[in-house]
Structure formats: structure tokens, C-alpha cells
Amino acid sequence: MKHQVIMLFLALMFTTQIPAITPQSLESADASYQKGLQHITTMWHSIKGLHPAWEKLYPVCIAHGDNYYLYVATPQGDWSLEQIVNRPGQVPQEIRAAYPLDFADNQIACVIDPSVFEDQKQMIIVFHEFVHCYQFNTCEAEIKGSLEVCRAEMMKQNWMWELNYDFPYNDRKVAKTYLAMIKAARQGKSDRVRKLRSQLRSMISEQDWEYLTWQEFKEGTARYLENELNARYGYRLSTSSSKQPLNRVIFYEGGERMIRLLIKANPSVATDLPLLWHALRYE
């Protein structure tokens, strides 16, 4: 491994400027990251049969200092450092996300900062992000291509619409109805959930409804599976604040609660993402 790290450093000297890195610091960083990544592999071996999203390990990109460190895994779970990309002033110091990397042929990756490796509870978020990687590689493009809200926001060149769409969070009636739906779903009251969901849909525009259900699907699925791992390892479940005004994170909670109800009625939606999307969007 030491030889591979030094060879990578030498190769990078001729392809990009990385002034803050020496062979010694690179070797130290790689050893630290390898320890965390191997823990991810250990966890993966014990949970990979729980859902198709975890059948493989996705690339992990570690954001630290002014650099991105891109790691990829073999089918067996051994990690190798593939790229170091220097982006002065552009590297977030706190991040847990999944998105295509412009410096790696737009392949999807889990992007994290090194603090994720501090304890196992935080490492579970890697598997949350792997769910997004799986969605991206399987059904995301087709679903988003069917959404008018996506087309409209892209026409406005709002490339970050999934994060900043102008949903009516400040509408008290909408917020009250959505929170009541979450409570009813938590209590397993399917009939009341359907009634409240119908009321909610009548209060908002079709594009608002598309955005809501897309967030419930995308983030709710990841939150549901994240909490399956939290329960498995004995950690406190992740929840979203109901403090008003609401924000998009409330759809993580609402999505998870809806998904649990839907799985109870039809267990096959747990692993069939297009079927799950259809149930959230239209039922």
C-alpha cells in the first residue's frame, strides 16, 4: 500500500497541482481513511443482503482541506485511492451527500468529510448515501424526466431545485395537514392518512405535489433504510424536526412514515423502487 500511495503521488505531480500534499502526509491520510473505509466494508458484509441498494459498495469521495480523495472498492470490499483533486476554496468542510463527480466521468459517489469515520453511528450515513447512489443508477433519471416540476425548474436553470424549490412551507394549513398526516402514519391509521393526503393534495399545485412526493421517495427511502440500520445496531432513530416553518427535511420523516405504511400493505414495495414511487405519487 505504501508503494501504491507514493506512485499515486508521483503521478499526480504531473497532472495537477496539490501544493499542500507530500508523500508522507498522503500516506498518513490514506492510512486514516483506509481504517474508516474498512469499517464500512465490515458493516457492509453484515447488511448487504438486506436491500438491493446495498448489494455493492459505491465510490466514496472524502472532502478534506482543499482536496477530494476518491476511493473505489473491489467487489470484495478492498478500497483503493484512485484520485486526488485539488479545489482550493471549493471543498466543503462538513458534507454528507451523494452526487455525480465532474472529475470522475460523472460517476455517482458518496461524498463525506472525515468526521463521518469518528463512530459507527455516523458511518451509517454512508449507507444512507449509498441508497441515493442506487436510486441514481436505477430509476432516478426516468422518474425525474416524468416530472413537470423538474422540467420547469431546469428551464429556469435552477440546477439545485431539489434543494431550493419554493414549496409553500410557510402555509400554516399545509404544514398542519402534513404534520397531522405524519402523526397518523406513525400511529398506523391508514384511512386517516389517505384522507389527510387527499386534503393536502387539494391545497397545493401539481408541481408542489410532484416535488413533495419526489422528496418523500428519494429521501424517505434513504431515511427508512438508515433507520433500519440504526435499529439493527441499537442506535437512536433519525427524525426530522416539526418546528415551523418547515423545510424539505420534513419530507424525510413523512416519506419514511408513508413507506412503512406502504410496506405493511404490500411488502414488495420495500425493494421495488419504481413500484414504491408509483404508490407514493398516485395512491
Side-chain angles (χ1 to χ4, degrees):
M1 177 60 70
K2 180 177 180 180
H3 176 72
Q4 292 176 334
V5 169
I6 293 175
M7 291 301 292
L8 176 60
F9 174 79
L10 292 173
L12 287 164
M13 287 179 64
F14 296 99
T15 58
T16 187
Q17 294 183 344
I18 45 174
I21 298 181
T22 66
Q24 293 76 23
S25 64
L26 177 55
E27 183 181 351
S28 176
D30 183 61
S32 174
Y33 300 155
Q34 284 286 351
K35 183 178 180 181
L37 290 166
Q38 286 306 313
H39 196 104
I40 295 297
T41 294
T42 299
M43 294 173 68
W44 171 68
H45 280 301
S46 69
I47 61 96
K48 61 184 179 181
L50 299 180
H51 193 274
W54 296 328
E55 288 180 353
K56 60 176 282 187
L57 291 164
Y58 292 88
V60 171
C61 186
I62 300 170
H64 185 61
D66 283 332
N67 302 303
Y68 288 105
Y69 301 80
L70 178 62
Y71 286 83
V72 298
T74 66
Q76 294 73 37
D78 297 316
W79 297 88
S80 61
L81 178 58
E82 293 294 304
Q83 287 191 64
I84 302 174
V85 177
N86 185 238
R87 296 279 175 88
Q90 301 179 40
V91 179
Q93 298 308 296
E94 293 185 10
I95 186 168
R96 289 118 170 90
Y99 53 83
L101 302 176
D102 63 351
F103 53 81
D105 297 323
N106 285 315
Q107 68 175 317
I108 191 76
C110 167
V111 185
I112 56 173
D113 65 81
S115 68
V116 168
F117 296 139
E118 290 177 0
D119 60 65
Q120 185 170 259
K121 165 68 172 172
Q122 292 192 73
M123 291 185 199
I124 287 175
I125 201 65
V126 171
F127 293 96
H128 173 118
E129 302 303 341
F130 281 172
V131 175
H132 292 321
C133 293
Y134 176 71
Q135 291 169 326
F136 182 87
N137 283 345
T138 55
C139 60
E140 181 168 330
E142 182 177 356
I143 293 173
K144 286 168 69 174
S146 72
L147 301 178
E148 180 59 32
V149 65
C150 178
R151 292 192 290 271
E153 294 300 308
M154 296 302 276
M155 285 289 290
K156 300 175 188 176
Q157 297 187 350
N158 181 14
W159 316 127
M160 303 297 289
W161 70 272
E162 291 181 78
L163 301 181
N164 63 23
Y165 176 75
D166 188 22
F167 187 85
Y169 300 109
N170 291 319
D171 186 315
R172 292 185 178 182
K173 191 173 181 181
V174 170
K176 181 179 179 181
T177 303
Y178 196 76
L179 292 174
M181 187 205 74
I182 289 176
K183 181 179 179 180
R186 189 182 298 120
Q187 296 171 340
K189 298 179 178 179
S190 299
D191 290 342
R192 178 154 176 75
V193 167
R194 280 192 288 270
K195 180 179 179 180
L196 288 166
R197 206 160 173 81
S198 177
Q199 291 175 2
L200 180 66
R201 187 168 187 176
S202 69
M203 297 175 190
I204 59 179
S205 71
E206 184 61 21
Q207 289 190 21
D208 291 341
W209 179 253
E210 287 184 341
Y211 180 77
L212 181 154
T213 51
W214 171 247
Q215 290 293 332
E216 285 182 332
F217 169 76
K218 185 172 182 177
E219 297 295 352
T221 303
R223 171 65 68 81
Y224 158 67
L225 288 168
E226 173 191 339
N227 275 336
E228 289 294 287
L229 293 190
N230 280 325
R232 183 183 183 91
Y233 288 105
Y235 297 124
R236 185 178 66 181
L237 301 184
S238 298
T239 59
S240 300
S241 172
S242 59
K243 183 178 179 180
Q244 297 188 43
L246 302 177
N247 57 55
R248 63 180 286 273
V249 179
I250 196 63
F251 299 136
Y252 293 41
E253 181 89 6
E256 178 188 3
R257 296 299 174 183
M258 283 299 302
I259 288 165
R260 290 189 182 279
L261 271 186
L262 291 168
I263 290 172
K264 187 175 180 180
N266 180 8
S268 62
V269 302
T271 55
D272 188 330
L273 293 191
L275 184 63
L276 175 59
W277 160 248
H278 189 277
L280 284 168
R281 175 77 173 84
Y282 298 107
E283 293 183 10

